[in-house]
Amino acid sequence: MAIFDIIGPVMVGPSSSHTAGACRIGYIARKLLGEDPKEIRANLYGSFLTTGTGHGTDRAIVAGLLGMKPDDMRIPRSIEIAKERGVKVLFGEAKLKEAHPNSVQLTLTGNSGNTMELIGQSIGGGRINIAEIDGIATNFSGEYPTLIVNNEDKPGLVAQVASMLSNQGVNVATMQLYRNQRDGMAVMVLECDQQIPRSGIEKLRASEGVTKVTYLNPEDEK
Amino acid sequence: MVYHSILDILKLCKDTNLSFWEVILQADMESRKVTREESYHTMESMYTAMRQADQNYDKNLRSSSGMSGGDGEKMRAFNESGKNLCSDFTALAMEKALKMAESNACMRRIVAAPTAGSCGVIPAVFLSYEDMFESTRDEIVHALFIAAGIGAVIAENASIAGAFGGCQAEIGSASAMAAAGLVYLQGGDENQMVQAASLALKNMLGLACDPVGGLVEVPCIKRNVAGTVNAISSAQLAMAGIQSAISPDDVIDSMYRIGNIMPYALKETSEGGLATSESARKLCQKKTGE
């Protein structure tokens, strides 16, 4: 473990998993949505649901979705801030089966109408895992530059993505492939060691069979 | 420069003729591929954040559960009366431990060290030392590197999470880390630093994590005071030349093994211990009744 995971992080209390991790889920979710949300539905599960209020989990998630980082002192007032900005916020109970005890299911609508549904898990020490996006299972931390490609489940798409990354000199750290059914819709999640230039991402967006490309750059959050 | 045990660190100190804190700093530079200045500056910024958190304590704040707040101010007033039997330094450290842990419960900004629940111990010892004695900012930053090195070994060979090892992993680790750093500030040598850490951690072995209502409040806040005073007394034992009969790495390994056999009910699940006491039930009822 890095020494600044031992002395640090600087964070708003009281809990690294229930407050800092919750905020980070919101923060990464906003990045994945690609814009400010105008409507947030946060359904809590497990320990997030039972002890969330006392830990400020609800406020931390909303704070992250408003673009605040875990050390932002405005976290306790985030729900009021959302109201001031005209963001609609709803909380509920998530009906999940055997999910991680610190899970939240987010249903988001962005300012320009983008929608996204995801499940985030706070796995301890402020670290998180994005476990599902738009109904398809995923598994990534948001700590690396992450490329998420939704595409039709047909031959050649993985090769296209791989060759784009190779042309840009980007090394793949982890790669996961999922699909909802054969010949249906698939999703690739690639965590990379380097940032992916915008041109590469635009090229992918224009590719046949690719329905959506989401790029998460963790750099500007530090 | 890589270390996986306390013994590794001591060996590196000997082989390279570098001081303890310098070994930890250089290992960080290598593992994260950062410059010396970056590593040093980051640690300094952690200390600055601790200082700010201490200064931002608000005696009127209460946690949303209503269980916590205001005790740091009570301690300050008692210390001011001159009736605290502890030395001025220890009295101040007790006050600062309460203030930091209460600030955490009240959603203020703190530095997890090693966790949010145990965030009071290290700043209590180091901030109080800076306030009471003539130590430079550099010395305090060095002490933080030493504390971080001890914590990193504990995290690797045991755990710093209550959910894995109970409170011994959180307050126990914080106390061991603070004790080693304090020995450095008092002018002790490398062996005395790790002896202090061993002594402090031994005293905390087996400690359950049984928070009321699952919240980082009861007993966590006051346990930060226990961890602080334990760190100070352990450092004094080490400075007196007293040795731990069990080696530092064996103490850490013992903590790991105790964590493994500790019942699930005592690992931050609130299914046992204080969390299921009659008083806790009443506190939780009161909370939901509001």
Side-chain angles (χ1 to χ4, degrees):
Chain A
M1 200 181 269
I3 55 169
F4 296 108
D5 289 327
I6 305 285
I7 305 279
V10 180
M11 56 167 275
V12 167
S15 162
S16 56
S17 54
H18 287 65
T19 321
C23 179
R24 215 177 128 68
I25 291 173
Y27 188 85
I28 296 295
R30 179 183 169 278
K31 290 209 152 203
L32 291 169
L33 183 67
E35 58 178 346
D36 286 320
K38 71 174 180 203
E39 202 174 309
I40 298 167
R41 171 147 200 116
N43 286 345
L44 303 172
Y45 176 83
S47 177
F48 264 16
L49 181 69
T50 53
T51 69
T53 309
H55 281 126
T57 304
D58 45 0
R59 283 163 279 172
I61 291 168
V62 171
L65 283 163
L66 297 178
M68 297 178 206
K69 295 170 202 171
D71 68 345
D72 197 309
M73 300 223 252
R74 296 170 299 169
I75 290 174
R77 291 195 304 113
S78 69
I79 292 175
E80 289 88 327
I81 294 171
K83 213 173 265 175
E84 286 159 24
R85 293 189 192 170
V87 181
K88 197 173 159 193
V89 179
L90 291 162
F91 290 101
E93 184 178 336
K95 304 262 188 292
L96 304 174
K97 272 183 193 160
E98 287 177 36
H100 186 279
N102 294 332
S103 293
V104 58
Q105 184 177 38
L106 293 172
T107 309
L108 309 171
T109 307
N111 274 338
S112 74
N114 286 347
T115 61
M116 174 171 273
E117 203 180 292
L118 68 81
I119 294 177
Q121 308 168 330
S122 180
I123 57 175
R127 291 173 45 243
I128 66 159
N129 182 46
I130 302 297
E132 194 179 303
I133 297 178
D134 293 331
I136 296 178
T138 59
N139 181 24
F140 64 97
S141 66
E143 288 163 23
Y144 292 88
T146 306
L147 181 68
I148 301 157
V149 183
N150 297 68
N151 54 274
E152 293 166 16
D153 183 25
K154 61 180 194 184
L157 280 152
V158 172
Q160 261 190 52
V161 172
S163 86
M164 180 280 281
L165 291 175
S166 156
N167 288 339
Q168 303 279 3
V170 174
N171 188 50
V172 175
T174 73
M175 177 171 187
Q176 302 148 56
L177 300 169
Y178 310 89
R179 66 177 176 192
N180 58 358
Q181 63 182 48
R182 189 167 177 176
D183 300 329
M185 294 309 296
V187 61
M188 281 176 241
V189 180
L190 297 100
E191 291 180 302
C192 304
D193 288 330
Q194 293 86 18
Q195 293 186 44
I196 306 169
R198 184 180 291 266
S199 60
I201 292 163
E202 291 309 326
K203 204 175 146 199
L204 270 188
R205 283 205 173 109
S207 300
E208 206 196 317
V210 171
T211 51
K212 188 177 172 187
V213 178
T214 310
Y215 177 55
L216 175 73
N217 175 11
E219 279 299 308
D220 52 347
E221 69 163 309
K222 278 172 187 165
Chain B
M1 205 166 284
V2 181
Y3 57 89
H4 299 285
S5 66
I6 300 291
L7 198 63
D8 282 354
I9 299 175
L10 293 178
K11 265 192 187 147
L12 284 168
C13 292
K14 210 172 164 192
D15 295 348
T16 60
N17 224 6
L18 292 172
S19 57
F20 195 117
W21 73 268
E22 183 80 36
V23 166
I24 308 303
L25 171 96
Q26 294 208 4
D28 179 55
M29 287 163 58
E30 281 175 28
S31 73
R32 293 194 301 128
K33 309 209 188 316
V34 294
T35 63
R36 182 184 181 82
E37 287 68 32
E38 280 174 300
S39 179
Y40 198 89
H41 176 76
T42 306
M43 192 58 90
E44 200 172 12
S45 72
M46 293 298 156
Y47 190 64
T48 307
M50 288 177 184
R51 178 61 79 185
Q52 281 170 350
D54 179 61
Q55 286 167 345
N56 285 343
Y57 174 74
D58 179 347
K59 63 183 180 184
N60 299 314
L61 269 185
R62 294 297 177 271
S63 66
S64 58
S65 74
M67 290 192 290
S68 329
D71 286 347
E73 168 58 17
K74 282 184 189 163
M75 199 67 227
R76 189 206 58 77
F78 181 66
N79 287 343
E80 199 178 56
S81 77
K83 290 179 187 160
N84 191 329
L85 287 178
C86 301
S87 71
D88 288 347
F89 166 68
T90 305
L92 183 62
M94 292 172 72
E95 174 189 326
K96 288 196 187 297
L98 279 172
K99 287 179 170 176
M100 192 67 74
E102 284 186 331
S103 293
N104 179 57
C106 299
M107 294 191 80
R108 285 306 180 95
R109 184 160 72 189
I110 54 87
V111 182
T115 60
S118 59
C119 70
V121 177
I122 288 170
V125 173
F126 294 178
L127 292 171
S128 301
Y129 197 89
E130 194 187 28
D131 288 351
M132 301 292 300
F133 304 103
E134 284 177 12
S135 65
T136 63
R137 175 56 63 97
D138 279 339
E139 284 170 333
I140 302 279
V141 175
H142 298 172
L144 276 173
F145 272 106
I146 293 164
I150 300 280
V153 171
I154 298 175
E156 182 173 336
N157 298 322
S159 174
I160 54 163
F164 287 99
C167 189
Q168 58 170 0
E170 300 211 14
I171 294 288
S173 301
S175 194
M177 292 160 66
L182 180 56
V183 164
Y184 169 82
L185 291 172
Q186 290 186 261
D189 63 21
E190 270 88 19
N191 182 53
Q192 286 171 310
M193 294 175 206
V194 304
Q195 290 300 321
S198 311
L199 293 163
L201 192 55
K202 275 201 297 186
N203 292 341
M204 294 275 167
L205 290 182
L207 200 58
C209 178
D210 49 359
V212 172
L215 302 175
V216 193
E217 299 188 41
V218 180
C220 323
I221 292 172
K222 289 157 196 146
R223 213 167 262 172
N224 273 271
V225 180
T228 297
V229 176
N230 178 52
I232 296 169
S233 64
S234 299
Q236 304 323 297
L237 292 177
M239 287 302 290
I242 297 167
Q243 301 267 328
S244 167
I246 312 294
S247 77
D249 290 311
D250 278 356
V251 175
I252 294 168
D253 182 59
S254 303
M255 181 173 114
Y256 174 69
R257 287 181 289 110
I258 292 169
N260 283 343
I261 54 174
M262 185 180 275
Y264 175 76
L266 302 179
K267 291 183 188 175
E268 213 180 323
T269 55
S270 299
E271 290 176 4
L274 298 171
T276 50
S277 64
E278 182 61 19
S279 306
R281 201 182 56 77
K282 282 182 186 155
L283 276 170
C284 293
Q285 260 177 1
K286 201 171 130 197
K287 192 181 80 189
T288 47
E290 277 170 5

